[in-house]
Amino acid sequence: MDQVAVVGAGLIGRAWAMVFARAGVPVRLWDKAPGVAEASLGLIAERLADLHAAGLVTEAPAAIAARISAAPTLADCVAGATHVQENGPERLAPKQELFAELDRLCGPEVVLASSTSGIPASEFTGNLAGRGRCLVAHPVNPPYLVPLVELVGAPWTDPAVVARTRALMDRVGQVPVVALKETRGFVLNRLQAALVAEAFRMVRDGVMSVEDVDACVKDGLGLRWSFMGPFETIDLNAPGGVADYAERFGPLMGGITEEQTPFDYDAATVERVAEVRRAALPLDAIEDRSGWRDRRLMALIAHKKGQAG
């Protein structure tokens, strides 16, 4: 049986531990900060109970949690692992140091995957002896509920490593997608960046309020996008499919993109949006609201599973 090492026991690391454990895979969890990995086991047990209550896992939460153990050292964490999922700081130097240590500790057959949100694997694996077994496996937060995983190799990543990682992600219930080359921010973030930047611009330019921009997505685009991607969406939005859509709406949509200059997240606009959000949700309530988000995601996932096809 595969054994997975999860390095870093923060929000993403804990979520990854649940992903693997609920699929029957033993997990060792380690964090550089003393006591964090041990404390995370209780948080994981709580989330597993929520999943069980939502009907998203049928196995007893305690049985799933029993597959996850906290390791006292990084060496203990990766011992016997066939796959390492790294969730360290989103900074280049620490990631370079951590991958150098992982490359030293792990045998050549062990895949080293990073959950980084935007640092290409080529920037932190280039000097490693085992650089061919390294890649990015970028999840969506929280990965135990949102299954997409972007697999992005460096120019030197062995294609067999990408294929092996894709097979593992399939097996544990994730939805892996493969980037054919590195690009800044990866694909998911680039799609998100375009929408978020335009949302800020609409507020900055006085076109619409913060609340109404959010409504455009949650009560508009997001309803379709929860079960269809952008290409399928436009394919169904014109009688003749994509080609018909492009003929009908291409001039309008293309003209809009010509107006979409880079957005620099200016302080005044960010402050304006932050003020509205803090009036709606005080900072000390964010954790509770995140729990609400996760429960709503559970309900949506349960619905999608029931309506599959």
Side-chain angles (χ1 to χ4, degrees), residues 43-296:
L43 297 171
I44 288 171
E46 292 176 8
R47 297 289 80 77
L48 289 172
D50 288 341
L51 286 174
H52 190 268
L56 296 179
V57 295
T58 56
E59 189 177 10
I64 300 173
R67 297 190 188 103
I68 305 171
S69 59
T73 68
L74 179 59
D76 289 322
C77 182
V78 302
T82 55
H83 177 93
V84 176
Q85 191 68 41
E86 174 271 333
N87 312 276
E90 194 70 7
R91 300 192 305 276
L92 182 57
K95 206 164 290 294
Q96 288 172 327
E97 294 173 7
L98 183 52
F99 264 75
E101 184 69 1
L102 289 172
D103 193 46
R104 183 184 69 81
L105 289 171
C106 298
E109 75 287 352
V110 181
V111 172
L112 305 182
S114 175
S115 298
T116 176
S117 295
I119 305 175
S122 58
E123 294 189 9
F124 56 86
T125 67
N127 295 326
L128 302 182
R131 66 182 191 172
R133 42 84 172 266
C134 300
L135 78 164
V136 166
H138 169 228
V140 184
N141 185 28
Y144 77 101
L145 293 176
V146 185
L148 188 90
V149 184
E150 286 187 283
L151 305 183
V152 190
W156 45 76
T157 301
D158 186 343
V161 166
V162 178
R164 179 177 158 192
T165 306
R166 182 167 198 161
L168 173 64
M169 294 300 168
D170 273 328
R171 195 161 73 250
V172 299
Q174 300 303 92
V175 179
V177 293
V178 175
L180 303 180
K181 61 181 180 180
E182 291 183 325
T183 186
R184 184 179 182 184
F186 317 135
V187 173
L188 187 89
N189 282 331
R190 293 181 72 90
L191 293 171
Q192 181 172 238
L195 179 61
V196 172
E198 189 63 14
F200 269 106
R201 270 194 291 265
M202 293 298 95
V203 173
R204 180 196 65 189
D205 297 346
V207 176
M208 188 171 281
S209 70
V210 172
E211 299 92 337
D212 284 356
V213 169
D214 267 355
C216 283
V217 177
K218 70 177 182 177
D219 296 315
L221 294 171
L223 292 177
R224 293 184 302 206
W225 287 351
S226 67
F227 58 90
M228 292 191 299
F231 290 128
E232 185 175 5
T233 296
I234 66 169
D235 199 36
L236 301 181
N237 275 357
V242 170
D244 188 19
Y245 179 93
E247 183 177 351
R248 291 170 183 256
F249 303 110
L252 169 65
M253 304 299 273
I256 290 172
T257 62
E258 289 178 358
E259 299 174 3
Q260 292 173 326
T261 56
F263 179 73
D264 61 1
Y265 284 77
D266 64 280
T269 305
V270 172
E271 182 179 359
R272 183 176 171 188
V273 173
E275 286 178 356
V276 174
R277 287 302 308 150
R278 294 293 65 79
L281 182 72
L283 280 178
D284 59 7
I286 283 184
E287 185 174 351
D288 285 343
R289 187 66 171 176
S290 295
W292 167 87
R293 175 205 62 192
D294 289 358
R295 290 188 295 274
R296 298 315 303 150

